[in-house]
Amino acid sequence: MKTILVPIQNIATMASTLEAATRLAQRTGAYIEGFPLRFGIPPYLVAELATGIPFDSYNAKNQEELAEMHRLFETFMLKHDISPATARASRPCFGWLETAPEGEDFVGSYGRAFDVIVMPRSDVDAAGPHRRAIESALFESGRPVLLAPPDAPRSIATNIVIHWNGSTEQARVNAFAMPLLRLAERVTVLTVIAGQAVPGPSADHIVRQLRYNDIAANLVSIELEDRDTGEAVLDAARAQGCDLLIKGAFTRNRLRQMIFGGATSYIMEHADLPVLMAH
């Protein structure tokens, strides 16, 4: 994971997201690129919504917000001893994309050129555009997404838990995570007995695969009890003291998750540790 993309927003949880990105970059020797994530409003709507406010004023305010996001990103990088990317710069290093267009769809399309996308996790009160930006990253980039918790992690990817549910999505995110799994001091393959799962290889097969890749993984099984699968997974991850959860995203149909809930939705809204996801 040598290239990291971070969509920047003026929100309270951005600091913890940048902390997760910098810790990951320091661990892997990566290049971090930031860009301003803007949920644009068409000019004709601006005219209707901001009655009496000239479009030039709206545009000036927009430029101020862009400059503030750039300052936020660059100041954080320099404070954490990450240098601007130049021909002679050592890694980790950073860059800034000035020309990012408006709209959350850009996260998914531009993210294809990076090894991982780092974003703040969602929550039950998250605005629709933020959720759509996460979904764009998950469904359109073909890359893994690292969702950062509201509070900055002290470490990342030293103690990893993989939630194995037999699915294609989980197999895919496991593959994406291999560089981090090889760096980890501890790896646990977790299964939830009677939890949400699909027909597929057993957790024993995954442990065997990892061990053949020189990753000393251990197997842990827990009972679901009276919990949602996502809640059980997070409880087990905390009990293991893990600092990264590897989770396949939306094994169940996305619409079904929206209506009935699911492990992905629960973890996206409640995780208090970094979560690496892929669909």
Side-chain angles (χ1 to χ4, degrees):
M1 293 187 175
K2 299 294 187 182
T3 55
I4 300 171
L5 180 65
V6 187
I8 303 298
Q9 304 176 63
N10 279 323
I11 57 176
T13 54
M14 204 65 237
S16 64
T17 302
L18 287 170
E19 186 71 40
T22 55
R23 286 189 181 277
L24 181 61
Q26 288 162 346
R27 193 158 174 77
T28 64
Y31 165 72
I32 308 176
E33 184 166 299
F35 77 88
L37 177 56
R38 298 176 292 160
F39 308 115
I41 304 176
Y44 70 88
L45 284 181
V46 174
E48 291 182 8
L49 294 174
T51 306
I53 301 176
F55 180 70
D56 287 346
S57 297
Y58 166 79
N59 193 47
K61 182 173 177 11
N62 191 38
Q63 292 303 312
E64 288 175 10
E65 290 178 351
L66 291 177
E68 177 58 31
M69 285 188 271
H70 189 177
R71 280 194 297 271
L72 168 69
F73 176 74
E74 186 170 290
T75 300
F76 197 97
M77 293 295 111
L78 295 174
K79 182 179 177 181
H80 288 73
D81 298 321
I82 297 180
S83 320
T86 64
R88 296 183 178 180
S90 59
R91 292 182 294 179
C93 58
F94 75 89
W96 178 257
L97 179 67
E98 291 278 4
T99 57
E102 293 184 345
E104 56 269 23
D105 290 347
F106 183 70
V107 179
S109 61
Y110 191 57
R112 296 167 196 160
F114 291 81
D115 296 321
V116 62
I117 304 166
V118 181
M119 303 181 71
R121 73 156 170 80
S122 184
D123 59 45
V124 291
D125 299 319
H130 180 57
R131 287 175 176 267
R132 290 196 296 273
I134 293 174
E135 290 189 0
S136 174
L138 284 171
F139 286 91
E140 302 300 332
S141 72
R143 298 297 183 179
V145 179
L146 179 65
L147 297 179
D151 295 324
R154 294 181 181 180
S155 62
I156 191 165
T158 64
N159 181 354
I160 299 177
V161 168
I162 297 169
H163 171 223
W164 180 252
N165 62 1
S167 69
T168 302
E169 292 79 10
Q170 189 62 49
R172 185 173 292 120
V173 73
N174 286 5
F176 281 131
M178 288 300 284
L180 298 180
L181 292 168
R182 290 194 172 97
L183 290 174
E185 298 165 12
R186 182 180 178 189
V187 175
T188 302
V189 178
L190 172 72
T191 58
V192 181
I193 299 169
Q196 292 175 8
V198 299
S202 70
D204 289 321
H205 286 108
I206 302 308
V207 170
R208 183 183 67 179
Q209 176 212 7
L210 292 172
R211 289 178 177 171
Y212 273 122
N213 279 276
D214 300 319
I215 297 167
N218 296 304
L219 177 61
V220 171
S221 296
I222 61 169
E223 297 284 348
L224 183 62
E225 299 175 342
D226 294 324
R227 298 172 293 182
D228 177 273
T229 299
E231 183 181 4
V233 169
L234 289 180
D235 287 347
R238 293 186 199 103
Q240 294 290 323
C242 96
D243 55 10
L244 182 66
L245 173 64
I246 308 295
K247 178 77 181 77
F250 296 107
T251 297
R252 303 172 79 189
N253 177 274
R254 179 166 44 160
L255 178 60
R256 182 180 176 84
Q257 290 233 21
M258 291 171 60
I259 297 171
F260 299 108
T264 300
S265 297
Y266 187 93
I267 289 170
M268 285 176 64
E269 294 174 356
H270 297 90
D272 52 4
L273 69 157
V275 182
L276 188 73
M277 287 188 161
H279 177 69

